[in-house]
Amino acid sequence: MPNDNIFSGLKVVDLASFIAGPSAAVILSDFGADVIKVEPPSGDLWRIANHLATRSRSPRMPYPWHLANRNKRAWLLI
């Protein structure tokens, strides 16, 4: 099929939580892989990273988490 991406049909489970792992999974998802992000019950640390800044005013949205997890499906471990 001419509209398929290079990784269409590939399923990936993303268990990583810091920079390199999630970034690799994002690249795979950008090229068509079906990526499932698995997080611990407390959630990924990047979800609260925007509040860890030393500035007096932190952004409302966790931009690093959105950037590292776009095109992924989420699944929380319970």
Side-chain angles (χ1 to χ4, degrees):
M1 293 182 168
N3 291 337
D4 282 344
N5 289 320
I6 191 168
F7 293 124
S8 291
L10 179 69
K11 292 194 182 292
V12 177
V13 177
D14 179 9
L15 301 171
S17 63
F18 192 71
I19 300 177
S23 297
V26 163
I27 292 169
L28 292 171
S29 70
D30 287 344
F31 285 104
D34 180 21
V35 179
I36 301 169
K37 171 72 175 172
V38 180
E39 298 182 12
S42 59
D44 195 346
L45 179 62
W46 281 112
R47 287 182 183 268
I48 61 166
N50 57 315
H51 298 295
L52 300 177
T54 57
R55 312 179 285 210
S56 61
R57 187 173 153 228
S58 63
R60 288 183 344 186
M61 300 298 287
Y63 180 72
W65 183 84
H66 286 291
L67 184 64
N69 292 298
R70 68 181 183 268
N71 299 329
K72 297 179 186 178
R73 293 190 288 153
W75 188 30
L76 296 176
L77 289 177
I78 297 175

